[in-house]
């Protein structure tokens, strides 16, 4: 039985080992499949277990991206993604779902939400 107004647990929690990629044009922090970092368990519960392709910040353009390896998907099923200590609301992200990929992108993310490369953090979805 769920009490009205009672807090419920997260929809999904991912553990990220933070990766870092730097070249003269871009700096990426976080996780990107086959490129940097790692994630556990790497499947997104609100979409029935779709593979997570990335949760990363691109510092040069000040964006944060959450990407799934599937499309088309709907822009529903979760409200907030908390990376480390920073909340990102789904409703404030731009959403694209096509070509086998679904992404939410937040702009003006000037502060890196991830700890230093090699450390672990969580992405918690509610």
């Amino acid at each position: 039985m769920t009490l009205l107004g009672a807090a419920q647990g997260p929809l999904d929690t991912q553990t990220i080992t933070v990766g870092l990629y730097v070249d003269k044009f871009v700096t990426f922090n976080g996780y990107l499949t086959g490129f940097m970092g790692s994630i556990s368990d790497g499947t997104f519960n609100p979409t029935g277990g779709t593979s997570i392709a990335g949760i990363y910040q691109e510092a040069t353009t000040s964006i944060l991206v959450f990407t799934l390896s599937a499309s088309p998907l709907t822009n529903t099923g979760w409200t907030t993604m908390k990376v480390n200590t920073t909340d990102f609301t789904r409703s404030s992200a731009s959403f694209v779902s096509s070509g086998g990929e679904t992404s939410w992108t937040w702009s003006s993310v000037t502060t890196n939400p991830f700890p230093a490369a090699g450390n672990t953090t969580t992405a918690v979805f509610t």
Side-chain angles (χ1 to χ4, degrees):
M1 179 171 100
T2 302
L3 299 174
L4 290 176
Q8 296 188 20
L11 299 168
D12 198 355
T13 300
Q14 298 293 324
T15 300
I16 299 167
T17 300
V18 179
L20 173 67
Y21 175 79
V22 179
D23 77 11
K24 63 182 180 178
F25 299 109
V26 294
T27 300
F28 291 97
N29 299 282
Y31 162 72
L32 188 57
T33 300
F35 188 61
M36 65 177 185
S38 63
I39 195 165
S40 181
D41 73 342
T43 59
F44 191 53
N45 294 340
T47 59
T50 305
S51 293
I52 297 172
I55 303 175
Y56 60 91
Q57 186 213 26
E58 203 281 90
T60 310
T61 57
S62 301
I63 62 170
L64 184 107
V65 180
F66 168 48
T67 303
L68 300 175
S69 297
S71 73
L73 297 173
T74 60
N75 190 11
T76 59
W78 59 282
T79 303
T80 303
M81 175 179 69
K82 183 175 198 162
V83 176
N84 200 15
T85 59
T86 307
D87 289 337
F88 298 92
T89 59
R90 180 180 49 80
S91 61
S92 63
S94 61
F95 173 76
V96 176
S97 187
S98 66
E101 206 170 78
T102 298
S103 294
W104 290 264
T105 303
W106 292 265
S107 58
S108 302
V109 181
T110 56
T111 301
N112 177 17
F114 294 96
N119 289 299
T120 59
T121 191
T122 57
V124 179
F125 296 84
T126 54

